[in-house]
Amino acid sequence: MAARANSTPPAFDPESTLLAGFGRRFAALMIDWALCLLVGSLVADPRGVAWPPVAVLVLMNTFFIGLFGQTPGMALAGIRCVSIEDGGAIGLAKGLLRAVLLALLIPAVIMDQARRGWHDRWAGSVVVLKKKP
């Protein structure tokens, strides 16, 4: 008991926060993917060249999640991706790691009880419902 009294609690407790469900997360991803297809089609036809939309998805997720905690699709779906350590943005390096793993898709589908996919666990992030102002 004395050891617990001296230890500091985590700055962010995902168990006391409302976690985003699969439906909102999927809707956000579909909105973001539609944006990526539009932007990627400026470079090449997505029906013939598949990499531009995927590259845009990785860049968009790295930038928006890394710095602001949400992509445009997440903003519309009312969810945020935050650091499990402090509840803030995860930064560009972890944002890039999370984005690359998300582009691989499989890590995102395998979730634990806290609805964290491999991409979230490896990046130290969790997707939560956005607090109302």
Side-chain angles (χ1 to χ4, degrees):
M1 184 100 164
R4 277 187 78 74
N6 291 336
S7 65
T8 57
F12 178 72
D13 183 13
E15 293 180 13
S16 66
T17 306
L18 292 175
L19 301 173
F22 181 77
R24 282 183 188 245
R25 291 175 71 134
F26 187 73
L29 182 60
M30 290 300 100
I31 292 167
D32 289 337
W33 184 245
L35 290 171
C36 292
L37 285 171
L38 287 172
V39 173
S41 69
L42 298 174
V43 174
D45 185 355
R47 294 174 292 182
V49 181
W51 68 264
V54 176
V56 172
L57 180 75
V58 169
L59 291 173
M60 183 174 74
N61 272 270
T62 299
F63 179 76
F64 284 108
I65 290 178
L67 297 179
F68 306 109
Q70 64 185 162
T71 62
M74 291 173 121
L76 290 172
I79 59 177
R80 296 182 54 78
C81 179
V82 298
S83 169
I84 197 118
E85 295 173 7
D86 62 7
I90 62 175
L92 292 175
K94 288 183 178 181
L96 176 61
L97 173 64
R98 187 181 186 281
V100 168
L101 292 172
L102 178 64
L104 295 174
L105 193 62
I106 297 300
V109 176
I110 303 169
M111 293 185 175
D112 61 14
Q113 292 86 358
R115 299 182 191 145
R116 293 176 69 210
W118 286 1
H119 64 307
D120 283 319
R121 284 185 270 169
W122 291 353
S125 63
V126 64
V127 181
V128 299
L129 293 177
K130 194 166 47 171
K131 293 180 183 174
K132 300 206 180 204

